[in-house]
Amino acid sequence: MTDTGFLAARLRRGNMTLAEKLWQMSWSLVFWLCAIATIGFFMLYSAANASLDPWTTRQAMRFGLGLVMLLTIAMIDIRLIMRYAYPFYAIVLALLVFVEVRGVVGGGAQRWIDLGMINLQPSELIKVALVLALARYFHSLSLEDTGRPVFLIVPLLMVFVPVMLILRQPDLGTSLMVIMGAGVLFFMSGVRLWKFITLIITMLAAIPVAWPMLAEYQKNRVLTFINPERDPLGAGYHILQSKIALGSGGLFGKGFLQGTQSHLNFLPEQQTDFIFTMLAEEMGLVGGVTLIGLYVIVLIYGFAIALRCRHQFGRLVAIGVTTTFFLYVFINVAMVMGLIPVVGVPLPLISYGGTALLTIMICMGLLMSVYVHRDVQIGVRGGYDDG
Amino acid sequence: MIINRDNDRIRLFNRRAVALGGGQSLLISALIGRMYYLQVVEADRYRMLAEENRINLRLLPPPRGRVMDRFGEPLAVNRQNFRVLIVSEQTRDLAETLDALANVIDMSEYDRDRVQKEVRRRRSFVPVTVRENLNWEEMARIQVNAPDLPGVIVDEGLMRHYPQNQTAAHVLGYVSSVDEDVLIDDPLLQLPGFRIGKAGMEQEFDLVLRGAGGTSQVEVNALGRVIRELERKEGEAGKDLILTLDQRLQRFTAERLGAESAASVVMDIHTGEVLVMVSTPSYDPNAFNRGLTQREWNALVGDPRAPMTNKAISGQYSPGSTFKMIVALAALEQGAITADQTVTCKGYTDLGSRRAHCWEGRGHGAMDMVQAIAQSCDVYFYEIASRVGVDRIAEMARRLGLGSSTGVGLAGERDGLIPTEAWKRATLGESWQKGETFNVGIGQGHVLATPLQLAVMASRLSTGLAVEPVLTRQMMMEDTVRQRPTKPFEVLDFDPAHLAIVRLGMFEVLNGPRGTARASQLKIPGVQMSGKTGTTQVKNISMAEREAGLPDIDEIPWNERTHALFVAYAPEENPRYALSVIVEHGGAASIVAAPIARDIMTEVLRLDPSRKPRINDDQVAVSQPGAPA
């Protein structure tokens, strides 16, 4: 490594100045994120019948705040993030318990904490917290140890506890998303494939047990997905209307602000979960595929950052947040096209809503921090290591 | 070593990253494939569905089931409700049309503002309700002036109506619009203007009365206007409900109680059917359906006479002397006294330093059990209560139906309270005092009962059976409704001789030379009523007040006057009906409650509803109002 320059050495040690860190940032990724968000602003403008109120203005302000947060997180030393991974996880878990207990005491199922500008949903934040905690755990674990089932008990508990809490809320979609996100981290850490297969078989076997635990509306959603005729005015109707709106958009769409289906209120929640339908109706296949293409660009950045990173913690964090991002996109788009049951998962950077946007921006901030600190050397315990 | 191990880890990570990326690409391709299928392959089909034939599903509200009394007299029905709506895009000028409409029908400024606000919020082709409940004359005027009222349409719907207004309000309850916080499990609840039961039977049987909504699939054009109906699935009308009440007696009782804050229950002792359940003052359930103003609501809730409360099941009162039969039966069963043994009443009895008074300050002299009940001698019952002990009295009270709710099937029913030594330790943390047993002996102190429980008690005393009250006869369907118990009531296992003594005491109350309510005996030749008065203090009388002489009733503020109670059954020789009456702060039972009880019982015996054929199902179907003459 004699040919590395002055900066490269500091990159390795991680003691960069703020300006150097800013220089190291992937500004092109920030650009793509802004591009997606801008499409979102236009869609919210259209959803409100060509009005900035009530959604576009607020969403733009939130995105601005989110951008500041992204940049701030990107500047934080990755070792600091690693050190506080467990405490952060513990705090979010405590918040999750808090909303659960308050829901029981208050009699209503309120899943959020009101912070004024946004309503904080701990079940969203746990996605990030879990990625960090699992990455920290597997960073310290050698490949051999990863192969031993005993060492999987702790991380499995880290997944299981919040998932049970979210299931109790009850929020099936988020629970599944947390499980899938965590599963990817286990996979990337080197857990053997047959263990996944065993687990999946076990979970399938657990369906008869878990079924009575689901809330009536969740059972309805699953049953309605299997047979949409069951509930012509409820979820089945929404899927049908969503498909009509989407399909009628055709190749080039009906034009901006011209989506009759969305604007005649055939579509439910066209500003949140069904916003992709509106985009596809107004912009057609071309618009929809363009948006998906933008998402794919972000995903490619995520994978590239993960592969370029020199430490396991960073690799796992990068792949974890990228997967979370992917799951948001896939679940939402597949849902509005009737490929999977109706679950309340927003479209990242487009759907109106505070916590999901916050989660996405934290994810992207972490990804960026991994990128900025890609060459830092971290020991097993998180300190300097010249290994 | 570490580096080598880490290199393994990196190689594995890279391999798996490729797999993961491949998997994600595959899923994304699936999304794009699906989009292509929907937007290109199937585009024409969906375009047709969307552009020309937009299918819109509308929900058709089912008619709510009716509620009728035992003879089919309607208590809650659906009335046609004519509404006037306005479609803003069909008007030349909204304000102008509203002005013209205001000349034809009554329309408040408030209605006007609301309409204009709603029109701005909705799309211009959506009809907005201007006013509901138009009468025929207003309808006619709108039709005649139709040319001047472009965009005005008249629409017909159903609205709950209670033809008897206040008379059975507490049993029926009322319907009102759905609260926002109600869990939406039925899409019907989301219909604007849909009403659900909020109290009484309307609430209790809401799901059965509600029925199931139908759907109408309509074709809407590109602007959202209805072109034609494609398919119609009729809903299921709500089921009718038949109560055990007799509307004529219900009305008579309500009128007899008049302006008092009072309650009365009449039961058929053989079947447990509740014929009358009245609580006054009452409210008009129609007002809730129409929507109450804040001021009307405040007036209802703030009234000290509690018109919203069904006092027959939610009012808990000291039963006072009506409790004495229970003490007497407990004493006989324990052998604490025989019917012939006497206790001498000198107007008071001493317990340590405290003195407990009889209502008859001069004393009753030597009292046997029949006379003690007939004359309601307090000293006699202090004595036998202290011999029996509070726990045995409590056990007897429970056997006669006190101390727990009767389960008649109305929300808000209270348990009353029958104290025991264990109860006092558990709730107040104090041990039982002997003086308290004195209080229990005359049905005061902690003892509480609802008027319904007292009517049940009278029924059980008259039959010796564990009579249970019911309010619903049967629904027009089998499975959802608790059928009236077909098996006979349990036998309460009293010694018939003991029951006979207590009944004789109750007979003497009205028909004996010294009975407390002898002025209120029935005036029907050959028919007698048995009963018991109860006058309960709501405020302690201090020694000083007692010595100063008790004031005249008119000088006491209303809310400090005694409650007047009466329980009875009739006819004496072959009992059929039992009743209870309570007049809050009415004064003396013999002056206020007993005459009311006599009048109600006279009317009950005159109409004798239990012996008349009731409606059967086919009669309900054609809805024959009124009883067969």
Side-chain angles (χ1 to χ4, degrees):
Chain A
M1 295 257 207
T2 47
D3 57 343
T4 48
F6 179 62
L7 179 61
R10 291 177 54 168
L11 276 176
R12 254 199 322 279
R13 289 206 304 281
N15 56 348
M16 292 171 276
T17 64
L18 200 60
E20 281 165 352
K21 284 188 177 183
L22 281 172
W23 178 248
Q24 284 298 313
M25 286 237 331
S26 169
W27 288 101
S28 53
L29 175 56
V30 175
F31 166 80
W32 293 117
L33 293 177
C34 290
I36 296 174
T38 308
I39 293 177
F41 302 151
F42 278 100
M43 290 339 290
L44 289 175
Y45 176 78
S46 174
N49 293 321
S51 161
L52 291 172
D53 274 337
W55 299 312
T56 313
T57 317
R58 281 180 68 99
Q59 184 79 350
M61 280 162 65
R62 285 173 179 166
F63 181 73
L65 278 175
L67 218 49
V68 173
M69 180 179 267
L70 183 155
L71 295 179
T72 313
I73 294 174
M75 296 300 109
I76 301 173
D77 194 310
I78 194 77
R79 286 162 297 188
L80 203 63
I81 292 174
M82 182 163 159
R83 191 174 311 147
Y84 288 106
Y86 290 156
F88 180 59
Y89 173 82
I91 289 168
V92 178
L93 197 62
L95 287 177
L96 208 53
V97 173
F98 171 71
V99 287
E100 178 72 19
V101 170
R102 189 183 51 178
V104 172
V105 175
Q110 201 182 19
R111 300 169 183 173
W112 62 81
I113 299 163
D114 194 353
L115 290 183
M117 187 73 182
I118 60 161
N119 291 321
L120 187 70
Q121 280 190 49
S123 59
E124 285 287 325
L125 278 186
I126 197 76
K127 293 170 185 166
V128 184
L130 191 58
V131 164
L132 290 176
L134 287 175
R136 166 114 166 76
Y137 184 85
F138 285 117
H139 172 88
S140 314
L141 209 61
S142 68
L143 198 51
E144 291 89 82
D145 285 344
T146 310
R148 298 195 185 107
V150 184
F151 286 93
L152 294 181
I153 293 174
V154 172
L156 277 175
L157 276 178
M158 288 200 288
V159 182
F160 184 73
V161 173
V163 163
M164 288 321 281
L165 285 169
I166 298 167
L167 264 182
R168 273 187 58 99
Q169 283 186 349
D171 188 343
L172 185 63
T174 308
S175 322
L176 285 175
M177 206 171 143
V178 170
I179 291 175
M180 286 188 280
V184 164
L185 279 188
F186 278 75
F187 175 70
M188 296 306 293
S189 306
V191 176
R192 297 271 167 204
L193 278 176
W194 64 264
K195 285 180 185 146
F196 285 95
I197 294 165
T198 316
L199 197 68
I200 287 168
I201 290 172
T202 318
M203 277 167 70
L204 285 179
I207 286 177
V209 183
W211 183 253
M213 279 175 62
L214 296 183
E216 201 55 39
Y217 82 96
Q218 292 178 323
K219 288 184 191 173
N220 281 339
R221 278 181 180 180
V222 177
L223 291 176
T224 303
F225 174 67
I226 297 163
N227 175 20
E229 299 289 306
R230 259 186 98 241
D231 181 16
L233 275 175
Y237 179 70
H238 293 166
I239 293 179
L240 180 70
Q241 290 301 340
S242 178
K243 275 155 65 177
I244 292 177
L246 217 128
S248 66
L251 199 53
F252 298 104
K254 297 171 187 168
F256 185 54
L257 302 179
Q258 305 299 313
T260 50
Q261 297 293 295
S262 354
H263 288 162
L264 285 177
N265 294 327
F266 284 92
L267 264 189
E269 317 230 356
Q270 78 268 23
Q271 80 279 15
T272 56
D273 292 355
F274 282 89
I275 198 164
F276 185 80
T277 307
M278 203 184 80
L279 177 131
E281 187 193 4
E282 298 192 348
M283 304 301 182
L285 182 66
V286 174
V289 171
T290 305
L291 180 65
I292 292 179
L294 287 173
Y295 282 131
V296 169
I297 290 175
V298 174
L299 292 174
I300 291 172
Y301 268 82
F303 274 84
I305 289 172
L307 293 172
R308 277 198 61 183
C309 181
R310 292 221 190 172
H311 41 87
Q312 182 75 351
F313 178 72
R315 284 193 289 267
L316 290 176
V317 168
I319 215 75
V321 297
T322 306
T323 301
T324 303
F325 189 82
F326 166 79
L327 286 173
Y328 272 116
V329 175
F330 178 76
I331 293 176
N332 179 275
V333 177
M335 185 262 291
V336 301
M337 294 196 299
L339 282 175
I340 59 168
V342 175
V343 284
V345 171
L347 191 63
L349 302 169
I350 306 269
S351 287
Y352 179 77
T355 319
L357 185 67
L358 180 80
T359 311
I360 294 294
M361 294 313 261
I362 293 177
C363 279
M364 291 299 124
L366 289 170
L367 185 64
M368 202 62 90
S369 174
V370 171
Y371 183 69
V372 171
H373 304 92
R374 60 191 175 274
D375 290 329
V376 169
Q377 291 175 341
I378 316 177
V380 179
R381 294 261 154 248
Y384 291 93
D385 190 296
D386 51 7
Chain B
M1 278 306 289
I2 291 169
I3 288 177
N4 283 345
R5 282 221 303 252
D6 208 42
N7 281 344
D8 285 347
R9 212 151 72 159
I10 290 171
R11 270 200 297 278
L12 181 102
F13 185 93
N14 290 348
R15 235 178 14 246
R16 292 201 165 180
V18 171
L20 183 68
Q24 293 189 358
S25 313
L26 220 63
L27 289 173
I28 298 251
S29 312
L31 290 185
I32 293 174
R34 175 74 170 176
M35 269 186 92
Y36 179 81
Y37 173 77
L38 289 176
Q39 296 196 292
V40 177
V41 181
E42 293 277 280
D44 286 343
R45 188 164 82 88
Y46 285 122
R47 198 169 292 139
M48 198 182 70
L49 279 174
E51 292 298 318
E52 284 114 42
N53 301 301
R54 257 181 288 269
I55 297 163
N56 201 337
L57 262 168
R58 307 201 166 179
L59 206 53
L60 307 168
R64 194 173 172 84
R66 295 170 300 169
V67 183
M68 283 160 287
D69 86 342
R70 61 193 295 116
F71 296 119
E73 183 74 17
L75 303 179
V77 294
N78 301 307
R79 204 160 62 166
Q80 241 159 5
N81 167 28
F82 292 101
R83 304 183 292 177
V84 58
L85 310 156
I86 195 159
V87 184
S88 67
E89 70 167 11
Q90 288 168 17
T91 61
R92 279 187 298 272
D93 176 60
L94 182 67
E96 197 181 287
T97 309
L98 283 176
D99 283 340
L101 193 58
N103 291 331
V104 178
I105 59 168
D106 276 342
M107 209 166 79
S108 62
E109 270 308 302
Y110 172 80
D111 284 334
R112 225 192 134 102
D113 287 350
R114 182 182 51 78
V115 169
Q116 282 179 328
K117 233 177 262 165
E118 219 165 311
V119 162
R120 271 197 297 274
R121 232 184 33 232
R122 292 174 186 240
R123 302 193 154 262
S124 58
F125 54 80
V126 176
V128 170
T129 308
V130 181
R131 241 201 64 196
E132 293 193 288
N133 292 320
L134 295 181
N135 56 33
W136 276 107
E137 201 182 318
E138 287 172 316
M139 287 270 300
R141 277 205 296 260
I142 291 175
Q143 302 296 2
V144 169
N145 292 293
D148 299 332
L149 299 169
V152 171
I153 46 178
V154 174
D155 180 42
E156 181 191 331
L158 288 177
M159 195 175 190
R160 200 60 158 173
H161 178 62
Y162 302 94
Q164 313 292 349
N165 299 327
Q166 317 207 341
T167 316
H170 291 110
V171 177
L172 288 174
Y174 54 87
V175 294
S176 170
S177 33
V178 186
D179 290 332
E180 275 172 37
D181 52 349
V182 169
L183 266 178
I184 305 290
D185 51 351
D186 184 343
L188 275 176
L189 300 189
Q190 288 165 326
L191 280 179
F194 194 78
R195 306 284 204 273
I196 59 170
K198 287 292 182 62
M201 287 292 163
E202 291 274 28
Q203 180 186 29
E204 207 60 33
F205 289 96
D206 187 49
L207 286 180
V208 189
L209 290 167
R210 190 192 293 171
T215 51
S216 155
Q217 260 191 12
V218 288
E219 208 178 276
V220 211
N221 74 358
L223 288 170
R225 273 195 215 90
V226 176
I227 296 169
R228 67 193 163 101
E229 189 173 62
L230 294 176
E231 197 191 302
R232 192 182 177 90
K233 227 168 43 195
E234 288 299 340
E236 204 182 312
K239 303 281 182 287
D240 288 342
L241 178 65
I242 302 168
L243 302 183
T244 58
L245 296 183
D246 182 334
Q247 171 55 27
R248 299 163 303 170
L249 288 174
Q250 187 81 7
R251 179 171 291 277
F252 177 86
T253 306
E255 281 167 5
R256 183 63 184 84
L257 293 175
E260 299 280 8
S261 178
S264 178
V265 173
V266 178
M267 284 173 64
D268 179 326
I269 60 170
H270 293 316
T271 61
E273 290 179 338
V274 176
L275 299 165
V276 171
M277 184 183 279
V278 171
S279 173
T280 58
S282 186
Y283 60 89
D284 184 357
N286 290 312
F288 282 86
N289 194 17
R290 201 179 58 229
L292 287 177
T293 64
Q294 192 62 40
R295 194 195 296 171
E296 286 172 311
W297 172 251
N298 290 344
L300 276 176
V301 174
D303 190 330
R305 296 178 185 224
M308 293 297 293
T309 307
N310 185 356
K311 299 186 182 83
I313 54 162
S314 305
Q316 303 187 104
Y317 307 94
S318 295
S321 299
T322 62
F323 194 70
K324 285 175 178 166
M325 284 82 80
I326 289 171
V327 181
L329 264 181
L332 288 172
E333 202 158 273
Q334 288 304 314
I337 197 164
T338 65
D340 307 329
Q341 284 171 344
T342 59
V343 172
T344 304
C345 168
K346 49 184 199 281
Y348 59 87
T349 188
D350 286 323
L351 178 79
S353 62
R354 296 195 45 207
R355 175 166 284 193
H357 291 270
C358 185
W359 69 269
E360 177 58 86
R362 287 164 304 182
H364 285 104
M367 287 275 112
D368 65 5
M369 185 172 279
V370 170
Q371 279 311 308
I373 294 174
Q375 298 181 38
S376 203
C377 174
D378 291 338
V379 167
Y380 179 91
F381 285 95
Y382 294 146
E383 174 59 29
I384 66 167
S386 63
R387 287 190 204 172
V388 177
V390 65
D391 285 357
R392 299 224 174 87
I393 296 173
E395 193 200 315
M396 178 58 68
R398 290 192 168 273
R399 265 163 88 190
L400 286 164
L402 271 53
S404 59
S405 79
T406 65
V408 73
L410 277 177
E413 191 185 1
R414 307 283 294 270
D415 284 334
L417 178 62
I418 297 299
T420 59
E421 291 185 20
W423 167 83
K424 194 178 177 200
R425 257 196 312 281
T427 51
L428 302 175
E430 294 165 18
S431 61
W432 188 265
Q433 304 293 313
K434 193 150 197 236
E436 292 179 283
T437 310
F438 275 32
N439 272 338
V440 170
I442 60 164
Q444 304 217 87
H446 296 294
V447 187
L448 291 174
T450 67
L452 177 61
Q453 286 174 332
L454 292 177
V456 169
M457 178 189 78
S459 306
R460 293 185 175 195
L461 283 171
S462 66
T463 56
L465 302 173
V467 180
E468 285 173 21
V470 285
L471 259 173
T472 43
R473 256 200 64 209
Q474 66 187 77
M475 195 89 50
M476 309 309 286
M477 65 196 282
E478 309 288 287
D479 44 348
T480 47
V481 183
R482 221 162 27 108
Q483 286 283 336
R484 209 179 60 229
T486 42
K487 60 172 197 231
F489 296 120
E490 240 175 273
V491 179
L492 282 173
D493 226 12
F494 294 125
D495 183 336
H498 296 164
L499 216 48
I501 292 162
V502 172
R503 284 204 206 139
L504 183 58
M506 292 177 74
F507 178 77
E508 291 281 315
V509 168
L510 286 142
N511 306 294
R514 289 167 168 272
T516 50
R518 59 189 179 277
S520 298
Q521 56 181 264
L522 291 183
K523 294 193 178 80
I524 311 171
V527 183
Q528 276 101 34
M529 175 162 79
S530 298
K532 183 73 195 79
T533 50
T535 307
T536 60
Q537 291 161 16
V538 292
K539 180 173 171 279
N540 286 328
I541 301 173
S542 69
M543 193 60 91
E545 281 171 320
R546 194 178 290 279
E547 273 160 14
L550 297 177
D552 204 46
I553 179 106
D554 296 328
E555 293 165 17
I556 310 173
W558 178 74
N559 60 358
E560 291 178 9
R561 292 179 198 168
T562 54
H563 290 328
L565 287 83
F566 202 79
V567 298
Y569 59 83
E572 160 60 24
E573 52 279 14
N574 183 17
R576 182 80 214 205
Y577 303 105
L579 66 71
S580 67
V581 172
I582 169 156
V583 182
E584 286 186 352
H585 309 296
S590 54
I591 299 169
V592 181
I596 292 176
R598 175 199 56 205
D599 293 349
I600 294 172
M601 190 59 92
T602 304
E603 186 69 6
V604 170
L605 292 172
R606 188 178 77 78
L607 295 173
D608 204 8
S610 291
R611 284 180 219 275
K612 298 260 163 65
R614 295 179 299 208
I615 44 159
N616 53 39
D617 297 356
D618 5 314
Q619 278 173 300
V620 174
V622 290
S623 181
Q624 286 260 279

